[in-house]
Amino acid sequence: MMVPVEIDERLIEKHGITPEEYARIKSILGREPNFTELGIFSVMWSEHCSYKNSKPVLKLFPTEGSKILVKAGQENAGAVDIGKGQAVVFKIESHNHPSAVEPFQGAATGVGGILRDIFTMGARPILLMDSLRFGRLESPSTKHLFSGVISGIAHYGNCMGIPTVGGEIYFDDAYEGNPLVNVLALGIIEHKKLVKGAAKGEGNPVYYVGAATGRDGLGGASFASRELTEESHEDRPAVQVGDPFLEKLLMEACLELIETGAVVGMQDMGAAGLTCSTCETAARGNAGIEIDLQLVPRRETGMIPYEVMLSESQERMLIIVQDSKRRTVEQIFDKWDLHAVPIGHVKSGSKMIVRDGEETVADIPAKALTDEGPVYHRELKEPEYYEEAKHFNVENVSIPRNMGNVLKQLLSSLSIASKEWVYEQYDHMVKTDTVLLPGHDAALVRVKGRRIGIAVSTDCNGLYTYLDPYEGGKHAVAEAARNVVCSGAKPVAITNCLNFGSPMKPEIFWQFRRAVEGMRDACLKFHTPVTGGNVSFYNESPSGTVYPTPVVGMVGILDDIEHRIPSFFQKPGDEIFLMGRTGNDLGATQYLAVVHGIKSGVVPVLDLEREALLHEFMLAAGRESLLASAHDVSDGGLAVALAECLFGVRGKPLGAYLNLTELKETGIRADAILFGETASRVLVSVEPKKQKKLERLANQAGIECYHIGRVTEEQLRIDKYIHELSLELEMLYRSAIRKAMGE
Amino acid sequence: MNAVVVVFPGSNCDADCFHALSEVMGSRVKFVWHKERDLPKTDVVVLPGGFSYGDYLRTGAIARFSPIMSEVRRHAEKDRPVVGICNGFQILLEAGLLPGAMLRNRSLKFSCKFVHIQVANNQTMFTKAYRKHQILKMPIAHGEGNYFCDHDTLKELREKGRIAFRYVTENGEATDRANPNGSMDNIAGIFNERKNILGMMPHPERASEGVLSSTDGQGIWESLAECVGV
């Protein structure tokens, strides 16, 4: 790259900087910025790094809680106390744009990036989850994206030896050309070992460790901050290339170094690479920092300072260590055959000074980049479709005659069908802690040496959130919490990844604001503060804007792993109960979408009060070991949930015999009983001798409790509506994705 | 029993093997870094799973040059047991301590799931604790587990009782459907000629505790403990 002679309007615009922002840069510096500085401001003030458009709305989230050790926004990820001096550190992040352009590397480096966020705090990552959205799998381009993303995640996670224990996947036209790839990582650490991303102690050396710097990923943060266009493929150099083996070495070396107590501060080089890590550590440490780019290990020749500062080459970290511990650093990184080069030091003052040998190429107050960026209060406008959807009259939808066929259609629809084609490609058992394997409502891992388990679930119904962002936001939090509760664990905190279109469009920003308000209300009700996450705007492609998709990653704690609850029925003879009332809720259902081709209607209203009561009841029932299984009723409604409960042992499904008289008496349509998605419901099975106790407990808790049937063998018989062989249903459910992929 | 778990830079089942041997089976276990040139006094050497060197070339292709491997070889020459699991098996093949080679799974995809394997020879120091033809439930997790060897080698493996485990159905049939990766003769694990080296693709360390839904892997550790006399 050549250094341009002059910084003109065109160049400024190309950097995504507005004339007002440029004026602000000039007033901060007291002069015109040079080319390198312009690049630095452009990435640090991009939406991806600065949250300039989302900040005022994100402030709505509750972030306080008695168990919160590191709050949202303070560090690279949030930390929550899990007792006995231990904490979990977790976060979810998007890698949507890179994955749209180069699915394998885009997804792989998404995994790499989120893992660095975890071990940069000193925590050892123990699990990964993925929340993915694609267009319709029928199209060859979606097949390419889907298989590329899955193998990219598998490639990186498997090699790192960190189990990918679950997640969720939806296929919908709304994501055509703009897939969502959100990756959650969770790590575990002793409180006293938590590392801050701060530069402190004048004179302490600043080490560059890990991979050498190349031109890959140049300006990735800015790339992520605009819409995808037909020309986005030309941005392929903005996608980084990942090397999981190198990251494994980097992780082991960093964790080993932290054990020695030599580390003052650590920060990974993710978005905006060296730029972000230097100015953020300086700003957090209330210090200055100075680095010399000539000392930075490189893998390409002729790189100019601008490129070195903006490169997003993977598997690199910045570590500030005590001056007396230089040898320790070098010995450890030598053991792992990695670069560890002192490229600068902590200074007094508050400036980030970048030199290229003798020449100073950037001289900027660090906090101007991190804390003093522009903040925008974007315009809001309720979109027209919002009211229209509410007036959709479900009375005009005909009730199908053959409900068995409807069930089969739903079980083999790709958003509902088994995701085993996906999770079998992930090593989900390495570390030997995965107690509930993928396929259950929540993933559950044990903590060796303790009785507790950690449950995690990611959830979001994009269609709900599109039709009613406020309700959709509530649902995302509530369903994630319900899934965690179904495993027996108590929800403690969330991380979120907010995937939306362009914030410049008032209708989109309205979706964003309303969804966040819904999430906030649910988080407050469940006492699950937000510990951090990520905002991904500009999820638009030539075929349109994605559904607003605020993915929630809920973390819960189970006091005793022996009290875990599986999602599947356990044995014939157990009694089946539906907890929670069923309404006439057909709006926005998978049933309407798949069977009738309608994506409209009133989103099932979520009563937070009832939902919270349900959680308390479930946790109490779990503590008393009343439940043989628990599965939440969501996509596809009661009939789909019932069928899913049968598939615990591959090839040997159980059966169930259901009598829905009690539900029918409420005057609800048959298709709403079977496939409606009324919120706040859980399907449980109990041993006959525990039945009375369960009913009593439900009664005390004020939870409706319908005894709807019994676990049997071989056949699913739902009242007079459905009578099918379980094995046939299981085959459809398990093979749908495999078939769609042409295998 | 004293055991050593060798740690290559990209090993990722090292801690799992350590846990199964020490916490579950009560053995005295040590990690040994691959750059070491000495092996501490031990009864058993375990080469764990993982991606030893990232495995961008071929699985295990570079690990065999690690300094510790000559010590592992010497340990084996004294008829002492060496077990290579998953990537450890691949390293043993690359090092020539076991015959044959690994191809990519026939699905061309990484595959992680529980499978059934049958004990093909229960008269060895690794398999004594199992019943004859016992069927075990154990997970696999690999992208290259498609065992291949030439005709003569296969004949010898069969005739000399050197096949340790075969992939089978739940009822013990070694069918093509039961074969998760395309391995020749449904082979899941083999022995060297003197039967003191075992290489296997399934993970016994992931099937050594009830909480992980199978304890069928314990037999390997129990057999070894019995054999070395503690």
Side-chain angles (χ1 to χ4, degrees):
Chain A
M1 188 186 272
M2 299 283 288
V3 179
V5 190
E6 192 192 358
I7 292 174
D8 55 17
E9 278 171 28
R10 210 182 56 85
L11 189 68
I12 294 165
E13 197 194 325
K14 224 178 139 196
H15 277 79
I17 292 173
T18 66
E20 297 75 35
E21 287 171 358
Y22 189 71
R24 189 165 172 156
I25 292 170
K26 280 200 295 190
S27 96
I28 286 168
L29 295 177
R31 59 179 165 81
E32 300 268 340
N34 63 33
F35 182 51
T36 307
E37 290 169 333
L38 183 71
I40 290 172
F41 272 103
S42 101
V43 290
M44 287 309 296
W45 284 8
S46 70
E47 173 60 34
H48 193 80
C49 291
S50 74
Y51 296 96
K52 60 186 167 190
N53 296 303
S54 52
K55 230 183 224 169
V57 176
L58 297 179
K59 286 204 175 117
L60 296 172
F61 282 137
T63 57
E64 308 275 348
S66 58
K67 293 198 157 122
I68 304 291
L69 299 174
V70 176
K71 278 202 326 183
Q74 282 179 330
E75 293 288 341
N76 289 288
V80 175
D81 180 28
I82 56 167
K84 298 253 156 94
Q86 287 184 313
V88 286
V89 173
F90 60 97
K91 189 179 180 184
I92 190 166
E93 244 184 27
S94 64
H95 234 212
N96 304 339
H97 285 68
S99 304
V101 177
E102 215 297 82
F104 182 89
Q105 290 296 348
T109 52
V111 175
I114 193 68
L115 287 174
R116 282 194 299 283
D117 275 335
I118 303 304
F119 70 76
T120 199
M121 296 187 57
R124 179 171 283 278
I126 60 165
L127 65 84
L128 287 162
M129 307 251 289
D130 307 287
S131 179
L132 311 174
R133 303 290 183 280
F134 298 94
R136 291 167 71 88
L137 201 48
E138 285 81 7
S139 86
S141 66
T142 302
K143 278 197 182 80
H144 165 72
L145 288 173
F146 178 58
S147 65
V149 164
I150 303 305
S151 46
I153 291 169
H155 169 68
Y156 214 102
N158 295 355
C159 184
M160 289 291 291
I162 294 156
T164 303
V165 295
E168 27 135 34
I169 306 176
Y170 282 87
F171 299 91
D172 195 296
D173 295 330
Y175 303 101
E176 192 70 48
N178 195 135
L180 302 184
V181 176
N182 294 181
V183 188
L184 177 149
L186 180 142
I188 201 158
I189 187 175
E190 288 170 50
H191 296 179
K192 57 175 191 252
K193 289 186 181 153
L194 268 168
V195 175
K196 303 249 149 108
K200 283 193 171 157
E202 205 179 321
N204 278 335
V206 174
Y207 272 85
Y208 170 113
V209 304
T213 297
R215 288 191 174 88
D216 47 335
L218 213 52
S222 323
F223 168 55
S225 302
R226 57 180 184 261
E227 298 99 341
L228 289 167
T229 62
E230 301 285 359
E231 288 78 41
S232 287
H233 289 274
E234 291 168 14
D235 277 329
R236 200 163 286 150
V239 180
Q240 315 85 334
V241 177
D243 179 347
F245 175 59
L246 220 149
E247 174 123 326
K248 164 92 165 111
L249 305 183
L250 186 62
M251 175 177 78
E252 298 297 348
C254 288
L255 293 176
E256 194 173 324
L257 180 64
I258 288 164
E259 286 296 315
T260 67
V263 175
V264 174
M266 193 185 285
Q267 168 99 14
D268 80 300
M269 294 190 214
L274 196 51
T275 293
C276 185
S277 54
T278 43
C279 66
E280 280 193 359
T281 48
R284 282 201 201 102
N286 289 314
I289 197 163
E290 179 171 328
I291 57 168
D292 181 356
L293 298 183
Q294 294 216 340
L295 301 171
V296 171
R298 300 179 195 195
R299 67 168 108 98
E300 289 183 69
T301 53
M303 289 179 74
I304 60 171
Y306 176 96
E307 294 172 309
V308 178
M309 287 305 284
L310 266 58
S311 160
E312 292 190 5
S313 289
Q314 297 289 292
E315 293 94 23
R316 305 178 301 161
M317 307 277 275
L318 198 75
I319 309 181
I320 295 107
V321 297
Q322 292 169 31
D323 195 30
S324 58
K325 297 285 174 62
R326 288 172 184 255
R327 258 196 72 66
T328 313
V329 182
E330 284 159 26
Q331 271 169 353
I332 289 175
F333 281 82
D334 186 53
K335 171 186 165 187
W336 293 97
D337 299 319
L338 291 170
H339 292 288
V341 184
I343 58 165
H345 56 275
V346 181
K347 280 173 72 96
S348 61
S350 58
K351 280 189 160 182
M352 167 202 192
I353 294 170
V354 182
R355 285 188 295 112
D356 185 30
E358 291 304 305
E359 189 193 349
T360 299
V361 293
D363 181 345
I364 308 171
K367 285 194 178 167
L369 294 166
T370 57
D371 302 346
E372 290 157 26
V375 174
Y376 298 112
H377 295 264
R378 295 290 174 204
E379 198 187 325
L380 303 162
K381 185 171 174 245
E382 185 184 293
E384 281 172 15
Y385 74 78
Y386 177 64
E387 277 304 317
E388 276 167 31
K390 289 194 164 175
H391 290 110
F392 174 80
N393 189 354
V394 89
E395 294 301 314
N396 298 333
V397 175
S398 61
I399 300 180
R401 293 174 56 175
N402 188 332
M403 297 297 192
N405 280 349
V406 172
L407 175 61
K408 288 183 197 166
Q409 220 177 325
L410 284 169
L411 286 174
S412 44
S413 68
L414 301 182
S415 295
I416 289 177
S418 165
K419 304 301 180 296
E420 67 180 27
W421 185 89
V422 174
Y423 62 71
E424 283 184 2
Q425 294 186 55
Y426 303 150
D427 190 340
H428 51 264
M429 302 187 213
V430 64
K431 285 192 181 293
T432 62
D433 291 326
T434 318
V435 171
L436 289 183
L437 298 173
H440 291 268
D441 286 15
L444 182 71
V445 296
R446 66 171 169 180
V447 178
K448 287 194 183 95
R450 295 187 60 184
R451 298 180 79 86
I452 63 161
I454 298 166
V456 192
S457 178
T458 64
D459 287 285
C460 179
N461 187 317
L463 178 59
Y464 284 11
T465 316
Y466 170 73
L467 293 173
D468 190 335
Y470 177 74
E471 286 299 325
K474 275 160 58 184
H475 274 281
V477 178
E479 191 184 341
R482 204 181 310 130
N483 281 330
V484 162
V485 161
C486 281
S487 75
K490 183 175 166 50
V492 291
I494 75 161
T495 174
N496 59 52
C497 192
L498 309 172
N499 306 275
F500 288 79
S502 165
M504 309 306 222
K505 297 177 183 161
E507 288 88 352
I508 300 284
F509 205 71
W510 177 85
Q511 293 174 339
F512 178 67
R513 164 111 197 177
R514 290 297 288 156
V516 169
E517 285 170 354
M519 294 168 80
R520 169 201 59 193
D521 289 353
C523 285
L524 286 170
K525 187 73 210 170
F526 308 143
H527 307 289
T528 51
V530 177
T531 63
N534 165 231
V535 178
S536 172
F537 281 135
Y538 305 100
N539 287 290
E540 301 186 11
S541 74
S543 42
T545 305
V546 300
Y547 284 151
T549 311
V551 174
V552 170
M554 176 71 73
V555 174
I557 303 299
L558 174 59
D559 289 335
D560 187 345
I561 202 90
E562 294 305 321
H563 289 166
R564 67 187 179 275
I565 305 163
S567 300
F568 307 106
F569 293 151
Q570 297 297 300
K571 58 177 194 299
D574 282 356
E575 301 293 339
I576 303 170
F577 287 84
L578 176 64
M579 315 308 303
R581 58 162 279 282
T582 300
N584 232 336
D585 293 308
L586 283 174
T589 55
Q590 287 291 313
Y591 160 71
L592 272 198
V594 172
V595 178
H596 298 281
I598 298 164
K599 293 177 187 170
S600 188
V602 180
V603 172
V605 175
L606 188 94
D607 180 338
L608 290 172
E609 205 64 50
R610 301 192 75 82
E611 181 78 38
L613 278 181
L614 177 72
H615 296 181
E616 274 170 36
F617 159 76
M618 289 295 293
L619 292 174
R623 274 193 302 272
E624 297 192 27
S625 301
L626 294 180
L627 307 173
S629 74
H631 180 33
D632 100 300
V633 180
S634 57
D635 298 328
L638 178 62
V640 166
L642 275 165
E644 287 170 342
C645 285
L646 307 178
F647 307 147
V649 182
R650 197 193 165 81
K652 286 187 185 164
L654 290 166
Y657 184 91
L658 288 306
N659 178 337
L660 302 181
T661 311
E662 258 189 289
L663 299 185
K664 283 190 287 192
E665 280 169 358
T666 53
I668 298 165
R669 289 167 59 131
D671 51 356
I673 291 179
L674 295 169
F675 309 112
E677 296 178 9
T678 305
S680 312
R681 294 183 299 164
V682 174
L683 201 52
V684 304
S685 69
V686 294
E687 286 177 31
K689 64 177 184 212
K690 294 180 179 171
Q691 178 183 334
K692 285 280 166 285
K693 214 167 168 190
L694 182 90
E695 285 169 327
R696 211 161 39 230
L697 194 64
N699 203 7
Q700 283 164 8
I703 297 293
E704 302 86 343
C705 170
Y706 301 95
H707 184 197
I708 56 172
R710 183 170 301 148
V711 181
T712 61
E713 290 173 333
E714 291 175 7
Q715 295 175 23
L716 176 63
R717 204 185 259 273
I718 306 180
D719 214 287
K720 61 179 185 192
Y721 307 114
I722 292 172
H723 186 188
E724 301 288 342
L725 282 175
S726 305
L727 198 57
E728 191 190 342
L729 299 176
E730 187 192 354
M731 290 289 285
L732 289 169
Y733 178 70
R734 288 202 197 271
S735 64
I737 290 185
R738 196 162 280 135
K739 272 194 192 139
M741 290 304 286
E743 289 177 12
Chain B
M1 178 166 80
N2 290 302
V4 155
V5 176
V6 177
V7 183
F8 296 95
S11 292
N12 61 33
C13 302
D14 45 344
D16 303 353
C17 289
F18 191 101
H19 173 79
L21 280 160
S22 62
E23 298 298 316
V24 183
M25 307 306 293
S27 302
R28 288 169 298 279
V29 194
K30 279 189 184 137
F31 284 128
V32 172
W33 182 237
H34 73 116
K35 286 183 187 169
E36 296 289 327
R37 292 176 186 277
D38 296 309
L39 202 58
K41 194 172 146 23
T42 182
D43 301 310
V44 180
V45 172
V46 180
L47 304 185
F51 289 70
S52 50
Y53 276 85
D55 291 337
Y56 295 119
L57 173 58
R58 274 194 323 277
T59 48
I62 301 180
R64 73 186 177 100
F65 295 112
S66 276
I68 197 68
M69 283 307 290
S70 47
E71 282 302 302
V72 172
R73 195 181 293 271
R74 207 162 299 148
H75 176 88
E77 279 164 5
K78 293 180 204 153
D79 284 342
R80 292 185 180 147
V82 175
V83 52
I85 301 162
C86 198
N87 188 231
F89 184 10
Q90 293 157 345
I91 294 169
L92 290 171
L93 294 173
E94 288 287 336
L97 289 166
L98 289 173
M102 284 298 172
L103 307 178
R104 286 189 71 186
N105 294 350
R106 63 180 162 185
S107 67
L108 302 182
K109 291 199 293 278
F110 190 94
S111 178
C112 174
K113 59 182 178 185
F114 271 99
V115 296
H116 289 96
I117 58 173
Q118 186 166 43
V119 180
N121 179 352
N122 72 337
Q123 303 293 311
T124 72
M125 61 171 87
F126 302 98
T127 54
K128 250 180 210 161
Y130 294 117
R131 293 188 311 277
K132 196 176 178 184
H133 304 315
Q134 188 173 339
I135 295 163
L136 315 173
K137 186 181 149 200
M138 238 181 251
I140 52 164
H142 58 249
E144 295 184 26
N146 182 354
Y147 180 78
F148 181 83
C149 62
D150 62 46
H151 183 74
D152 292 343
T153 308
L154 182 63
K155 189 160 174 271
E156 174 160 337
L157 291 177
R158 281 180 180 160
E159 287 171 2
K160 301 270 174 66
R162 288 175 57 188
I163 296 174
F165 306 103
R166 277 200 183 86
Y167 299 110
V168 292
T169 62
E170 209 179 341
N171 307 318
E173 297 148 293
T175 60
D176 192 53
R177 265 189 85 83
N179 188 337
N181 50 30
S183 271
M184 200 173 246
D185 204 22
N186 282 37
I187 285 174
I190 57 170
F191 302 112
N192 64 336
E193 213 174 328
R194 298 211 297 271
K195 302 198 181 67
N196 68 315
I197 303 179
L198 165 67
M200 64 188 295
M201 290 314 291
H203 287 270
E205 81 280 11
R206 298 186 185 186
S208 292
E209 292 169 89
V211 72
L212 304 175
S213 30
S214 172
T215 54
D216 289 351
Q218 286 184 357
I220 291 180
W221 321 122
E222 284 164 2
S223 303
L224 284 168
E226 194 192 318
C227 163
V228 301
V230 207

